[in-house]
Amino acid sequence: MNRASTHPQLQSIKVACSNCNLRELCMPVGLDEQQLKRIDEVVAVRRKVKRGSTLFRNGEPFTSLFAIRTGFFKTCVATEDGRDQVTGFQMAGEIIGLDGIVHDHHTCDAVALEDAEVCVMPFDRIEELSREVAALQQHVHKIMSREIVREHGVMLLLGSMRAEERLAAFLLNLVQRLHARGFSQSELVLRMTREEIGSYLGLKLETVSRTFSKFVEEGIVEVKQRHVRIVDTAALKRIVNSQQGSH
Amino acid sequence: MNRASTHPQLQSIKVACSNCNLRELCMPVGLDEQQLKRIDEVVAVRRKVKRGSTLFRNGEPFTSLFAIRTGFFKTCVATEDGRDQVTGFQMAGEIIGLDGIVHDHHTCDAVALEDAEVCVMPFDRIEELSREVAALQQHVHKIMSREIVREHGVMLLLGSMRAEERLAAFLLNLVQRLHARGFSQSELVLRMTREEIGSYLGLKLETVSRTFSKFVEEGIVEVKQRHVRIVDTAALKRIVNSQQGSH
DNA sequence: CGCTCCTTTGAGCTAAGTCAAACCCGGTGG
DNA sequence: CCACCGGGTTTGACTTAGCTCAAAGGAGCG
């Protein structure tokens, strides 16, 4: 059952879900001993993904969801004519691959922005087990619903905010998620380029850069390359609901 | 069990799901007799929603998903500071309310744009039954995944298309969905105002209006009020991937 | 050390927004 | 029946946020 020997990217599991420190992020809570043990079985295997390479790609058959253990991903969709759009950035404890369920193949690309490791969870096994463990079933539903709600937020951002509001919202969101994982509330290292940020926010990379510079001038943040330090969180929050940007 | 008498908006069910002509839109396929019968039990009741009134509202407790039987809805999210964004338009056979699952309360408003009737499906019943009927379980997963994929498309539209592309994509999408319901491939009646279209597409109502006028000048569509007739579908499709709009 | 990729900044342009006026159409009431 | 009203729509004139193009600095890596 140890497939590590046959495929360099795959490796057998050392840490069970029930012991994983990301447990409260990607698993249901309040399970008894026995249920926990069964859920451990959902994760078939781990897989390492090198920075710059894809976990899955648009068009590939869908078989599994992936829980990010370490690392950082972007997901992006593309049109035939080559333009593409980053639809999200995902970090440890988050689940990717939900897009693949409808048509049994993926409809976006997931690219590692830094070396990463994911838990591979075969979807048929998830379905099987969540028919038996109600808490798991609910958890799966909530994860999907959360993704829908998240995307509503992005639509609001893309549809009705100005550049400064978008970037402010983006930074606040990132730092808040990092904080939930035990990192600083005010410092972060961007794992993506200005162009990727721009794609996500519906802006050009130059606009992202200029907006960063503006924030720096105003003393709201300090920026050194990809390292960002938020000096005035309140100001960022004020920018996000400044209302003047209703287009 | 007939609650019609106690509440004017509610009424007992005359058409069972198994006989509903929208069956193939909102229900799983390939069920046997007995499973069908059980699924009929999911729909507790029907509810009528008058044009202009809400099916549910941001903040209200979530209990049920709704399958639209007749009518037309919009869903919209709002920020504290009062600006809002239409996140989608839904028609017969589509499911709304998925946003409520994560936090047990709704995070957007659903407003009827014409008199409508929905099937109320208590979510705990759906969960219960989908633990027993694998086909229903899969169906629920696919519906949620489909919504995620749809929103990816909207993000692409909002993030990287110009006004003409957005409107063209919008019209093609609407007419395609109407066609799947047996309506014309080329004629449609818009149920929403220019402002609502604009909100959905991230444009101002004047821009929507001007873009319509432009399409009329170019002979691509005919517009009389809310009645739209698509004269040149191919031209619309060409506009959607015109690529020059990559911003 | 030189290359490549990323980022910043400037200068000018343009798509879409803002503001304002007029129009259209269905509904209401005199 | 017609005048009026109000929401929705169209169109024009002007403004502007963000885009495009271009050039010039870093920073990391072989």
Side-chain angles (χ1 to χ4, degrees), chain A:
Chain A
M1 264 315 196
N2 181 342
R3 300 194 229 166
S5 49
T6 64
H7 195 305
Q9 286 179 320
L10 302 178
Q11 54 171 212
S12 67
I13 294 177
K14 284 149 207 140
V15 183
C17 294
S18 45
N19 294 327
C20 177
N21 55 0
L22 295 167
R23 199 180 46 239
E24 51 299 336
L25 287 172
C26 60
M27 288 196 11
V29 292
L31 296 177
D32 62 36
E33 192 74 12
Q34 212 217 331
Q35 289 172 325
L36 267 178
K37 220 172 154 195
R38 303 213 49 193
I39 289 190
D40 280 349
E41 293 162 22
V42 170
V43 175
V45 82
R46 295 254 174 75
R47 184 171 149 195
K48 285 186 185 295
V49 188
K50 275 249 165 318
R51 175 185 157 156
S53 63
T54 62
L55 176 57
F56 55 81
R57 211 185 274 275
N58 181 10
E60 284 178 11
F62 163 79
T63 61
S64 305
L65 298 180
F66 304 95
I68 303 174
R69 246 186 80 71
T70 61
F72 200 90
F73 286 84
K74 68 170 178 182
T75 48
C76 34
V77 292
T79 52
E80 302 93 60
D81 53 314
R83 88 187 97 165
D84 72 43
Q85 167 86 19
V86 173
T87 55
F89 296 107
Q90 296 82 16
M91 56 182 73
E94 297 177 332
I95 307 293
I96 49 183
L98 298 171
D99 61 280
I101 299 171
V102 226
H103 297 118
D104 292 316
H105 63 77
H106 287 285
T107 58
C108 65
D109 298 349
V111 181
L113 296 182
E114 59 181 352
D115 289 357
E117 189 181 15
V118 300
C119 302
V120 180
M121 308 183 291
F123 192 60
D124 49 11
R125 240 196 257 187
I126 291 178
E127 287 192 326
E128 196 184 316
L129 200 56
S130 73
R131 263 177 267 135
E132 296 167 31
V133 181
L136 178 60
Q137 180 195 36
Q138 281 175 26
H139 191 66
V140 171
H141 291 158
K142 285 189 194 255
I143 284 172
M144 299 189 79
S145 177
R146 171 175 303 129
E147 178 65 8
I148 290 169
V149 171
R150 183 190 73 81
E151 292 185 2
H152 282 176
V154 178
M155 287 170 65
L156 182 60
L157 179 143
L158 290 173
S160 72
M161 291 185 175
R162 48 198 291 109
E164 291 159 51
E165 299 175 282
R166 295 183 198 196
L167 189 62
F170 170 73
L171 289 174
L172 288 172
N173 174 270
L174 262 192
V175 87
Q176 174 253 310
R177 283 154 68 202
L178 287 166
H179 186 54
R181 282 159 183 79
F183 295 97
S184 165
Q185 283 192 68
S186 58
E187 292 195 49
L188 67 158
V189 176
L190 300 172
R191 250 73 229 210
M192 69 296 281
T193 66
R194 302 289 188 258
E195 184 165 25
E196 286 162 336
I197 296 172
S199 172
Y200 180 60
L201 299 178
L203 301 170
K204 294 279 114 176
L205 70 98
E206 294 94 329
T207 305
V208 173
S209 178
R210 276 185 242 273
T211 308
F212 266 123
S213 300
K214 183 142 184 279
F215 287 173
V216 171
E217 274 172 40
E218 292 169 348
I220 298 171
V221 301
E222 288 166 12
V223 179
K224 183 174 282 179
Q225 297 296 119
R226 305 232 178 142
H227 192 101
V228 176
R229 182 189 160 74
I230 298 176
V231 178
D232 189 349
T233 306
L236 279 184
K237 287 184 181 159
R238 251 177 281 125
I239 290 172
V240 174
N241 357 352
S242 66
Q243 166 72 318
Q244 56 163 303
S246 45
H247 255 329

Side-chain angles (χ1 to χ4, degrees), chain B residues 222-241:
Chain B
E222 288 166 11
V223 179
K224 183 175 282 179
Q225 300 292 118
R226 304 231 179 144
H227 191 102
V228 176
R229 181 188 160 74
I230 298 175
V231 179
D232 189 349
T233 305
L236 279 184
K237 287 184 181 159
R238 249 178 283 125
I239 289 171
V240 174
N241 356 357

Side-chain angles (χ1 to χ4, degrees), chain B residues 14-57:
Chain B
K14 284 148 209 141
V15 184
C17 294
S18 45
N19 293 328
C20 176
N21 56 0
L22 295 167
R23 199 179 46 237
E24 52 299 335
L25 286 171
C26 59
M27 288 198 8
V29 292
L31 297 178
D32 63 38
E33 193 70 14
Q34 210 217 333
Q35 290 172 324
L36 267 178
K37 223 174 150 193
R38 302 212 52 192
I39 288 189
D40 281 348
E41 294 163 22
V42 169
V43 175
V45 81
R46 294 253 175 74
R47 183 170 149 196
K48 284 186 186 296
V49 188
K50 276 247 163 319
R51 176 186 156 156
S53 62
T54 61
L55 175 58
F56 56 79
R57 211 186 274 276

Side-chain angles (χ1 to χ4, degrees), chain B residues 186-237:
Chain B
S186 58
E187 292 195 51
L188 67 158
V189 176
L190 300 172
R191 250 71 231 211
M192 69 297 280
T193 67
R194 303 286 188 259
E195 184 165 23
E196 286 163 336
I197 296 171
S199 171
Y200 180 60
L201 298 179
L203 302 171
K204 294 279 113 176
L205 70 98
E206 295 94 330
T207 306
V208 173
S209 179
R210 277 185 241 274
T211 309
F212 265 123
S213 301
K214 182 142 185 277
F215 286 173
V216 171
E217 273 172 41
E218 292 169 349
I220 297 171
V221 301
E222 288 166 11
V223 179
K224 183 175 282 179
Q225 300 292 118
R226 304 231 179 144
H227 191 102
V228 176
R229 181 188 160 74
I230 298 175
V231 179
D232 189 349
T233 305
L236 279 184
K237 287 184 181 159

